[in-house]
Amino acid sequence: MKQRKLLPLAALVMGLACQIGRWTLYRTAVDATGLLTAGTPLEWGSYALSLLAIGLFAVAAGNLRESDAFACPILAGLGQLIGGLGLGWTALRYPGEMPGLFGIAWKILGIAAAICLILSAFQSFQKKTPHFLALLAPCLFWLVHLIDNYRGWSGQPQLQSYLFALLSTMAMALFTYYTAAEVVGMGKPRLRVFAGLSAGFLCLAAMLPGPEKTRILFFTSALWALSDL
């Protein structure tokens, strides 16, 4: 039980440390063309910290008893509320990245997922299990977010500039999938804990120097994932 409480705190601290390191890196190691100078100690340090964090989360989640892999309903509800508000704010304020279907789907699913998360929060506050579809909507949003953004990410000249945004999106998709699966008896608590810890760490690491559009989204999603463990 003590280990379960310490894991989200460890992910929070390590994620913030990685974020500060990447923010410093992009302020001090960018050349005249705007590209990151590859191979600096700070860059390799951010990768090493990420590998250390993911390895720690994998070992710790694997050693958890399944009865310890569930959060306090009140804390989980608070995280869902924060995640829903951040997701809704992002979807209402910004358009999708791609023109046409996926850009529209991104915005519609973002608003729908935000409403579902807020409703799930109130159910969690009442110590009731949220409805499966309410928890599935955020998973669909993160899958569409991955597709909507990938063309822009892949067009960038350096992998370093979008690596953490890509990984955090994938981790959130896995976390929301395993969270929804538990409601219908298909969940894997240890994998949900691993995905949630990884999502919290990676979302925090991806915030800066990322675009303004995703800063609130990633920050609130990190708080949601870590409070739901």
Side-chain angles (χ1 to χ4, degrees):
M1 181 64 71
K2 184 178 179 180
Q3 182 189 26
R4 182 184 65 78
K5 292 180 179 179
L6 291 177
L7 285 173
L9 180 61
L12 178 67
V13 172
M14 296 176 81
L16 290 173
C18 191
Q19 177 198 131
I20 293 170
R22 295 186 69 244
W23 178 77
T24 304
L25 176 66
Y26 274 86
R27 284 180 61 87
T28 59
V30 175
D31 62 23
T33 64
L35 297 178
L36 184 68
T37 303
T40 60
L42 199 54
E43 180 188 2
W44 284 110
S46 67
Y47 299 151
L49 178 59
S50 300
L51 290 174
L52 175 63
I54 299 302
L56 171 65
F57 302 153
V59 172
N63 290 333
L64 278 179
R65 294 179 298 175
E66 292 203 2
S67 59
D68 289 339
F70 298 93
C72 165
I74 302 300
L75 189 59
L78 181 60
Q80 291 164 359
L81 182 60
I82 292 172
L85 292 174
L87 208 162
W89 184 88
T90 303
L92 287 171
R93 182 168 181 180
Y94 297 99
E97 294 296 315
M98 291 178 64
L101 177 62
F102 275 108
I104 296 172
W106 179 88
K107 196 171 190 70
I108 292 174
L109 275 173
I111 296 170
I115 294 172
C116 288
L117 268 179
I118 293 171
L119 292 176
S120 297
F122 286 107
Q123 288 183 301
S124 295
F125 290 146
Q126 298 171 3
K127 298 184 178 180
K128 297 179 181 178
T129 301
H131 194 277
F132 167 70
L133 293 178
L135 295 175
L136 184 63
C139 180
L140 296 177
F141 166 78
W142 284 105
L143 290 174
V144 170
H145 183 77
L146 177 63
I147 298 171
D148 184 55
N149 284 269
Y150 187 72
R151 186 172 69 173
W153 289 337
S154 61
Q156 296 184 29
Q158 288 187 309
L159 175 65
Q160 300 95 313
S161 60
Y162 66 91
L163 176 62
F164 282 88
L166 172 63
L167 292 177
S168 61
T169 300
M170 294 170 64
M172 282 302 301
L174 287 173
F175 166 68
T176 50
Y177 168 78
Y178 285 121
T179 300
E182 284 182 352
V183 177
V184 291
M186 299 175 61
K188 297 182 179 180
R190 292 189 181 94
L191 287 177
R192 182 181 66 86
V193 169
F194 170 69
L197 291 169
S198 300
F201 169 84
L202 290 167
C203 282
L204 289 171
M207 277 181 60
L208 296 174
E212 181 183 349
K213 175 181 176 179
T214 55
R215 288 176 191 172
I216 294 296
L217 176 63
F218 282 148
F219 180 65
T220 55
S221 295
L223 295 181
W224 165 31
L226 295 178
S227 64
D228 205 14
L229 301 178

